[in-house]
Amino acid sequence: MKSLLYFLILSCLFSCTNKTNAVKTKLLFKEVNQINLASGTLFRADSISSKYITTRPVDVWLPSNYTTEKEYAVVYMHDGQMLFDSTTTWNKQEWKVDEVAGKLNNDKNIKNFIVVAVHNIAELRWQDLFPTKAITNNISAMRHFFS
């Protein structure tokens, strides 16, 4: 299990730091007002594109005390539409991320963080959980790096 965790971390590092294929894009995030949050503010970009996943909405949750003067860690989460408001989910349940993240940010026992919530597409969800294209590309990058 530990080896798998190390592999995933290395995969993320290689996929996130490949600057040769970087494309600068201006993303339009709009505040989401029709959602019930316990704390913080939610912003949404309706269609984020990637060479690894199908275009989909992505939400960014900022804590109530967010300021551009501080640095924030980032927590990336799957199933973004399930994280914040039970009244907008298919099963009327939520993961209560805004409640927990808000409390953790306010307690000041950890580094301040924001949450990036990537929505799933129900018909394609298995591809998000078993991303063979991304894994194959990262294995190739790791082989090149370590050779």
Side-chain angles (χ1 to χ4, degrees):
M1 186 62 162
K2 207 177 217 183
S3 298
L4 178 61
L5 182 59
Y6 289 138
F7 172 74
L8 291 173
I9 291 170
L10 282 173
S11 296
C12 287
L13 288 174
F14 283 111
S15 66
C16 295
T17 59
N18 183 357
K19 296 185 191 282
T20 58
N21 294 331
V23 176
K24 291 187 178 184
T25 322
K26 187 167 184 165
L27 300 174
L28 181 60
F29 281 86
K30 295 181 182 177
E31 187 171 352
V32 181
N33 293 316
Q34 67 274 16
I35 197 162
N36 299 314
L37 292 173
S39 69
T41 308
L42 195 69
F43 293 89
R44 177 170 296 149
D46 285 322
S47 56
I48 299 287
S49 297
S50 165
K51 68 179 182 179
Y52 297 108
I53 61 172
T54 304
T55 301
R56 67 200 56 219
V58 173
D59 294 340
V60 176
W61 176 86
L62 303 178
S64 299
N65 60 355
Y66 179 82
T67 175
T68 57
E69 305 302 314
K70 292 183 192 175
E71 287 188 10
Y72 292 83
V74 180
V75 176
Y76 294 92
M77 300 186 80
H78 284 287
D79 300 332
Q81 68 270 38
M82 300 295 294
L83 304 182
F84 304 105
D85 184 3
S86 64
T87 64
T88 62
T89 65
W90 67 271
N91 64 354
K92 302 302 178 209
Q93 296 179 7
E94 63 170 292
W95 296 10
K96 299 188 181 291
V97 171
D98 50 319
E99 288 89 343
V100 174
K103 182 178 181 340
L104 288 170
N105 273 302
N106 288 335
D107 287 348
K108 299 187 186 344
N109 291 329
I110 62 167
K111 185 174 182 175
N112 289 321
F113 65 94
I114 66 172
V115 176
V116 174
V118 182
H119 287 227
N120 73 49
I121 299 171
E123 306 79 42
L124 305 174
R125 187 167 185 264
W126 65 274
Q127 291 177 352
D128 294 340
L129 302 175
F130 302 100
T132 56
K133 182 177 180 182
I135 289 172
T136 303
N137 288 346
N138 285 325
I139 288 173
S140 297
M142 286 175 43
R143 283 188 186 132
H144 176 71
F145 181 77
F146 290 112
S147 59

